[in-house]
Structure formats: structure tokens, C-alpha cells
Amino acid sequence: MVVCVCNAIKETQVREAARNGATSACQAYRSLGRQPKCGQCVPFARSIIDAERAAA
């Protein structure tokens, strides 16, 4: 599933970033060499990161 249309970031990439230590959407995007543009995806990315961290 695509999380960020502006940057073409997939859910699997956000999950991997969270597993590698990203605790926020901005950190996850930076780890992928990108940054949020319009911001519509940030709440969804945050929920994915929170779920990954809870499962760890």
C-alpha cells in the first residue's frame, strides 16, 4: 500500500524504517532520503510507526 503519494513511499518502507529506529514520520522519511511534502500522509505514517513499535 502507498503511504505517501508525493514521495512514492510504501507501507513496507515505513515499517522497515520504524524497525530501524525511526520514531516519527519525518525520521522515517529522512531515512529514505525524502521529506513530507503536503503532509496528508503523516498521520497514516505515524500510525504505522506506532504499530511497529508496539509490536517490537
Side-chain angles (χ1 to χ4, degrees):
M1 172 182 289
V2 174
V3 173
C4 177
V5 174
C6 298
N7 287 302
I9 297 174
K10 298 178 184 176
E11 181 179 351
T12 56
Q13 292 172 292
V14 175
R15 289 188 184 281
E16 183 68 23
R19 286 191 291 268
N20 288 331
T23 59
S24 70
C26 288
Q27 286 179 353
Y29 288 19
R30 267 194 302 264
S31 75
L32 298 167
R34 300 180 184 111
Q35 64 183 13
K37 293 184 181 182
C38 74
Q40 292 292 318
C41 57
V42 172
F44 184 40
R46 190 178 301 130
S47 69
I48 293 168
I49 292 166
D50 290 345
E52 276 300 314
R53 292 176 52 82

